[in-house]
Amino acid sequence: MKIGIIGLGLIGGSILKNFVETEHKILAVTRNQATLDKIRGMVYKCSSDYEILSEADAVFVCTPIHKVLETLDKLENIVSKDCAVTDVASVKTFVTQKKRPYNFIPSHPMAGTENSGYDSSFKELFQGAKWVITPFDSKDYSVLQNLIDLTGAKTIVTTAKEHDKAVALISHMPMYISQCLFDVAKGNKLAMQLASSGFRDTTRLAMTDLNLAKDMLSFNGNNINECLSLFQNKLKELKSEYNDEKLSEIKDLRHKMYSKDGKNIVEIN
Ligand code: NAP
């Protein structure tokens, strides 16, 4: 197959590094001359021009969230109607507002780091991770599932609406709280001197790439606000039932959920 990738940052670059070692041919689109120079010998074709995607069987759109709709629109005049196109944006409902003349299957790999750009990408990023697919108009998403399998990720199929609610809870709200937590504590000089692994772990998401952070808040704002209301209620509720039974329940479930290497091994509920 010929696989197009648009936007060779952390996610696009990591997808490229997975597929270069397969039988598939890569058509890479990047606006960055330095990236073009780095990948030229590794891929079938690379360019800053979308026209190379006219021969693609599948395309991964890996641009920032606020550029995804524009990119999907551009592809309408370039790829064939059978081409499987996915975007990897961390929010999904906004891409399902319009049917596309190609086989459009929105998706979201649940893997990332705080870094961005091609040099921060790496092949192992998706190994053992979940990769969500939110089909809404596609008759056949097996092509995408098969490609995702090659990255070592496991596909989970759901709706865009359910996806956006869920990621608000486990990713977008935690990032916002992590940023607030750091901002509150930073005013105390001694606290900053004493801060160790606990503070480091609970504030890791405060290092999220700035553009990605702003996009997540703006594109999934309603769900994040709902989550913050739940969180505020829980702050009050937990204070009134701060007892062994409640704390053990939280501690045991959290303990069971991850293995020592940090992978989510038990799905709670
Ligand atoms: P990134 O490292 O900043 O890469 C985005 C790439 O998009 C850039 O390297 C650039 O590629 C291209 N780009 C940047 N600005 C653009 C513009 N104005 N117009 C067109 N293309 C532009 O970001 P990323 O973390 O890979 O995120 C890309 C997508 O993956 C986002 O939709 C994000 O929601 C999603 N995602 C991110 C994570 C994460 O943790 N980072 C996880 C899962 C999904 P070129 O220089 O090659 O043109």
Side-chain angles (χ1 to χ4, degrees):
M1 276 176 66
K2 290 181 186 156
I3 302 170
I5 306 171
I6 307 172
L8 300 182
L10 172 68
I11 301 296
S14 300
I15 292 173
L16 181 146
K17 286 171 186 173
N18 273 275
F19 292 140
V20 282
E21 289 177 11
T22 67
E23 65 199 322
H24 301 300
K25 292 179 173 165
I26 296 178
L27 309 160
V29 176
T30 171
R31 307 157 311 145
N32 188 315
Q33 187 57 45
T35 309
L36 273 178
D37 293 341
K38 279 180 198 146
I39 63 168
R40 190 159 281 118
M42 296 159 61
V43 298
Y44 175 62
K45 282 185 187 172
C46 56
S47 175
S48 57
D49 189 341
Y50 280 52
E51 280 306 321
I52 60 166
L53 300 170
S54 60
E55 53 184 305
D57 300 298
V59 175
F60 289 80
V61 174
C62 306
T63 60
I65 299 175
H66 65 274
K67 284 286 161 189
V68 167
L69 290 181
E70 189 183 314
T71 310
L72 292 172
D73 286 347
K74 268 194 199 172
L75 287 177
E76 292 198 356
N77 299 319
I78 295 168
V79 299
S80 71
K81 72 174 184 20
D82 295 327
C83 182
V85 176
T86 190
D87 71 296
V88 297
S90 312
V91 186
K92 295 275 54 100
T93 309
F94 80 101
V95 293
T96 62
Q97 307 302 313
K98 186 180 170 194
K99 291 185 178 186
R100 301 283 173 180
Y102 40 74
N103 183 12
F104 180 46
I105 313 142
S107 78
H108 176 206
M110 301 303 299
T113 71
E114 63 273 21
N115 302 318
S116 58
Y118 182 75
D119 289 340
S120 63
S121 66
F122 59 104
K123 185 180 173 233
E124 297 74 22
L125 179 63
F126 310 113
Q127 198 63 49
K130 313 278 166 53
W131 193 316
V132 187
I133 300 183
T134 61
F136 75 109
D137 185 38
S138 167
K139 283 151 206 64
D140 181 13
Y141 49 86
S142 61
V143 183
L144 180 63
Q145 272 182 319
N146 293 337
L147 290 175
I148 291 173
D149 282 350
L150 295 177
T151 69
K154 179 177 176 254
T155 50
I156 303 237
V157 180
T158 185
T159 63
K161 222 170 154 188
E162 291 306 318
H163 164 276
D164 287 358
K165 276 190 203 169
V167 295
L169 273 172
I170 50 96
S171 173
H172 303 171
M173 173 178 70
M175 176 198 70
Y176 186 64
I177 291 175
S178 174
Q179 290 161 334
C180 293
L181 180 59
F182 193 90
D183 207 33
V184 170
K186 81 175 195 315
N188 184 316
K189 199 174 168 195
L190 179 62
M192 289 289 101
Q193 262 175 338
L194 303 181
S196 183
S197 55
F199 189 69
R200 182 193 65 207
D201 293 348
T202 44
T203 57
R204 186 177 70 78
L205 291 177
M207 296 188 296
T208 302
D209 176 74
L210 307 188
N211 293 318
L212 179 59
K214 285 187 289 182
D215 273 358
M216 290 193 302
L217 248 72
S218 120
F219 283 76
N220 205 17
N222 291 343
N223 284 315
I224 297 171
N225 285 340
E226 275 181 30
C227 291
L228 286 169
S229 298
L230 291 175
F231 187 72
Q232 276 163 339
N233 292 341
K234 186 56 80 174
L235 283 175
K236 288 184 206 137
E237 188 187 306
L238 195 59
K239 215 172 179 181
S240 65
E241 50 172 348
Y242 208 71
N243 52 45
D244 287 358
E245 196 187 345
K246 186 69 197 165
L247 295 180
S248 302
E249 183 199 339
I250 295 171
K251 184 177 166 172
D252 293 347
L253 281 177
R254 171 61 180 79
H255 189 73
K256 271 190 208 141
M257 192 171 163
Y258 294 99
S259 61
K260 281 203 174 108
D261 64 3
K263 300 276 181 221
N264 177 355
I265 44 169
V266 175
E267 278 150 34
I268 312 286
N269 288 327

